[in-house]
């Protein structure tokens, strides 16, 4: 079958001495075909270049078409490309009432407003997809090329409720696709984003019961409270979000269901434990942390990694002059690690773009960070979790870390967002010995 939705693969880097370098491929070239076939994405590219022997590669350089031959006998081809998908991204066909993209404030980086729902990005980067826009050809490709694991936003299993939540008639059919993929041995991780009063309580019972009985092969189940942003074009009323009491109810319900699952027990997001004023459970709860990126188990893993790198507590006063940028949830995660006791200041930054209910470090605007730091006295250095920055060291509002340092008048240093990295970094700042 002829491939649809193909495009040029822009070469970003070529490894010295690799088959690609020997064939004369250079950064800035665009790969148009391999063995005469156009390419949809990196999956096509890597499959085509995984075969041994000689491969003809059609390239475009400065507007001219050319063809080179790669000798693929001697190891990896040595090409890095700029994008994962070369044609159009698959767009979302839903209209979810709680859409996070719709609730983004104006003026952020453009790619953030793209409503993608693309199984390739789920396989390659762990993005959650809804399965509502898959054609038969897409399903066949996932199965035949073993594009596994995939990450699925399920939210509910009742057909009527799914249609309502996704704002899409195809939402009911997507559970059939889910079953088919499971039958074919594709590994799937599911999330249920809970919207208070919409898909929780008896609806969550039904969803979890169906997951246990009809979708038992699902590898992991994450239960996540909806994020309530106040800064966007279309925002969700605060009544749909969770507070201490309602988060506690969800945790009790999820806890009861965990007893009824033999494996792949549902896991509640960190945010629910934070809201309920509870400590995160032990690592065993998370069964290998399959949904860390989804905010499920981050606090536990962070604490355990931090403590494993520290031979004892930091001495009292040893971290004076150092500050850590954090959020209310971040402070909760850092709670028992002895950092504040050692004299470091934990600066909780209110999110000036999304509102106070959105308190993940990854969405902190540079302007809010600079503003919060300006009022803090007696600090020489500030550590910022690197998750707040993109690959160009910019915050979500486009401000660079250097600009935020200038504005706040204090040096801000990005630290990889893990407990091990923070422990190592704090040892460097500690006066009078790290633990
Ligand atoms: S699937 Fe729903 S939440 Fe995701 S982008 Fe589409 S409308 Fe928004």
């Amino acid at each position: 079958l002829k491939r649809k939705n193909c495009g040029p693969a822009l070469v970003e880097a070529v490894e010295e001495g690799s088959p690609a370098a020997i064939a004369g491929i250079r950064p800035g070239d665009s790969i148009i075909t391999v063995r005469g076939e156009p390419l949809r994405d990196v999956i096509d590219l890597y499959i085509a270049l995984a075969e041994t022997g000689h491969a003809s590669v059609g390239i475009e350089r400065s507007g001219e078409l050319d063809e080179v031959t790669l000798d693929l006998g001697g190891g990896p081809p040595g090409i890095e490309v700029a994008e994962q998908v070369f044609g159009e991204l698959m767009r979302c066909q839903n209209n979810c009432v709680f859409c996070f993209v719709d609730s983004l404030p104006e003026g952020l980086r453009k790619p953030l407003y793209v409503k993608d729902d693309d199984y390739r990005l789920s396989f390659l980067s762990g993005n959650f997809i809804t399965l509502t826009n898959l054609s038969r050809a897409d399903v066949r490709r996932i199965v035949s090329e073993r594009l596994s694991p995939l990450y699925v936003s399920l939210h509910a299993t009742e057909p009527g409720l799914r249609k309502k939540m996704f704002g899409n008639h195809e939402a009911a059919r997507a559970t059939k696709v889910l079953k088919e993929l499971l039958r074919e041995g594709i590994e799937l991780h599911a999330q249920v984003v809970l919207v208070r009063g919409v898909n929780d309580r008896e609806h969550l019972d039904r969803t979890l019961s169906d997951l246990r009985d009809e979708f038992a092969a699902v590898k992991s189940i994450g239960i996540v409270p909806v994020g309530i942003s106040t800064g966007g074009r279309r925002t969700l009323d605060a009544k749909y979000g969770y507070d201490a009491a309602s988060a506690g109810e969800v945790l009790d319900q999820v806890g009861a269901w965990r007893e009824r699952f033999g494996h792949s027990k549902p896991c509640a997001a960190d945010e629910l434990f934070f809201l309920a004023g509870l400590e995160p459970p032990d690592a065993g709860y998370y069964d290998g942390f399959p949904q860390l990126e989804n905010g499920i188990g981050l606090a536990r893993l962070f604490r355990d990694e931090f403590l494993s790198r520290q031979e004892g507590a930091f001495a009292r006063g040893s971290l004076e002059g150092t500050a850590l940028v954090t959020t209310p949830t971040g402070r909760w995660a850092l709670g028992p690690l002895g950092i504040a006791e050692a004299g470091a200041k934990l600066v909780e930054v209110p999110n000036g773009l999304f509102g106070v209910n959105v308190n993940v470090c990854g969405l902190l605007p540079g302007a809010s960070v600079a503003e919060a730091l300006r009022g803090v006295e007696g600090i020489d250095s500030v550590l910022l979790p690197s998750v707040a920055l993109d690959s160009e060291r910019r915050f979500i509002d486009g401000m660079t870390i250097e600009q935020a340092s200038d504005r706040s008048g204090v040096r801000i240093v990005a630290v990889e967002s893990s407990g091990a990295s923070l422990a190592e970094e704090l040892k460097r700042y500690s006066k009078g010995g790290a633990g």
Side-chain angles (χ1 to χ4, degrees):
L1 276 180
K2 215 168 152 37
R3 285 177 182 165
K4 290 186 182 146
N5 196 11
C6 298
L10 178 64
V11 176
E12 198 167 60
V14 176
E15 199 185 317
E16 215 178 307
S18 65
I22 292 166
I25 295 180
R26 303 203 294 249
D29 291 346
S30 288
I31 299 177
I32 308 295
T33 54
V34 178
R35 301 177 203 274
E37 286 278 350
L39 307 163
R40 293 165 290 192
D41 43 51
V42 285
I43 304 166
D44 279 346
L45 178 67
Y46 291 146
I47 289 177
L49 296 179
E51 293 175 30
T52 51
H54 289 86
S56 61
V57 176
I59 58 169
E60 187 187 324
R61 178 179 297 156
S62 311
E64 301 285 321
L65 293 178
D66 198 0
E67 192 168 287
V68 297
T69 302
L70 256 68
D71 180 355
L72 294 167
I79 300 173
E80 262 180 50
V81 290
E83 303 283 348
Q84 294 178 316
V85 173
F86 309 147
E88 287 284 305
L89 278 179
M90 289 172 68
R91 301 300 166 123
C92 145
Q93 292 172 6
N94 308 312
N95 187 18
C96 304
V97 280
F98 54 88
C99 178
F100 192 72
V101 179
D102 284 344
S103 71
L104 288 174
E106 306 283 351
L108 306 181
R109 284 176 277 114
K110 272 206 176 125
L112 292 165
Y113 299 103
V114 176
K115 290 187 177 182
D116 60 81
D117 192 4
D118 194 315
Y119 66 92
R120 283 100 40 105
L121 298 186
S122 189
F123 170 64
L124 294 164
S125 302
N127 290 12
F128 278 90
I129 53 171
T130 66
L131 307 177
T132 55
N133 61 352
L134 292 186
S135 66
R136 290 308 308 158
D138 295 328
V139 174
R140 277 197 298 274
R141 182 182 183 202
I142 291 169
V143 172
S144 67
E145 294 182 5
R146 311 309 295 164
L147 304 185
S148 172
L150 297 178
Y151 295 79
V152 176
S153 286
L154 187 66
H155 307 332
T157 50
E158 293 159 84
L161 181 55
R162 284 182 57 78
K163 285 184 198 173
K164 181 174 147 194
M165 289 194 75
F166 287 92
N168 181 354
H169 277 278
E170 290 300 307
R173 195 183 62 88
T175 50
K176 294 200 175 70
V177 177
L178 180 66
K179 258 187 207 160
E180 182 180 351
L181 293 175
L182 289 172
R183 217 173 31 243
E184 294 289 351
I186 299 299
E187 199 171 288
L188 294 163
H189 297 268
Q191 73 161 346
V192 175
V193 173
L194 282 187
V195 184
R196 190 172 170 191
V198 176
N199 63 334
D200 55 3
R201 300 204 160 174
E202 69 275 19
H203 301 294
L204 179 60
D205 281 335
R206 168 72 190 273
T207 301
L208 291 174
S209 163
D210 287 345
L211 276 165
R212 183 194 56 184
D213 301 336
E214 292 185 41
F215 305 93
V218 164
K219 282 282 172 202
S220 73
I221 303 162
I223 311 293
V224 184
V226 70
I228 305 278
S229 161
T230 53
R233 297 165 287 177
R234 190 173 78 166
T235 53
L236 196 62
D237 193 284
K239 72 178 183 190
Y240 294 111
Y242 287 84
D243 56 15
S246 52
E249 277 174 29
V250 173
L251 288 175
D252 288 345
Q253 190 179 2
V254 172
W257 272 102
R258 284 176 62 85
E259 304 292 317
R260 299 176 214 153
F261 273 70
H263 60 90
S264 306
K265 296 176 192 287
C267 289
D270 291 12
E271 185 75 11
L272 286 164
F273 290 98
F274 161 71
L275 286 169
L278 298 173
E279 291 296 297
D282 290 341
Y285 177 93
Y286 299 102
D287 198 12
F289 298 97
Q291 294 201 28
L292 262 187
E293 299 283 323
N294 203 14
I296 300 179
L298 275 173
R300 169 50 56 205
L301 190 65
F302 194 96
R303 288 184 185 185
D304 290 355
E305 280 186 0
F306 187 96
L307 293 172
S308 75
R309 290 298 175 104
Q310 239 192 319
E311 292 81 41
F314 284 101
R316 190 163 278 275
S318 63
L319 292 175
E320 267 167 20
T322 305
L324 270 62
V325 167
T326 189
T327 61
T329 315
R331 178 186 276 270
W332 164 79
L334 293 169
L337 301 180
I339 298 170
E341 290 75 3
K345 289 202 165 79
L346 302 184
V347 182
E348 281 183 36
V349 179
N351 195 314
L353 274 181
F354 293 84
V356 290
N357 294 319
V358 173
N359 62 37
V360 290
C361 288
L363 296 175
L364 279 177
S368 300
V369 170
E371 177 66 28
L373 290 173
R374 254 206 306 262
V376 185
E377 291 183 352
I379 48 172
D380 318 311
S381 296
V382 176
L383 307 185
L384 170 87
S386 62
V387 70
L389 304 173
D390 67 8
S391 57
E392 291 167 359
R393 291 167 60 82
R394 286 180 187 277
F395 290 90
I396 195 160
D397 58 355
M399 186 181 282
T400 63
I401 188 169
E402 290 77 19
Q403 289 167 331
S405 294
D406 286 348
R407 269 217 208 175
S408 61
V410 63
R411 191 170 70 103
I412 306 174
V413 179
V415 182
E416 198 199 311
S417 311
S418 76
S421 299
L422 181 64
E424 293 302 330
E425 192 69 16
L426 284 177
K427 283 181 194 173
R428 291 171 5 100
Y429 286 84
S430 167
K431 305 171 197 95

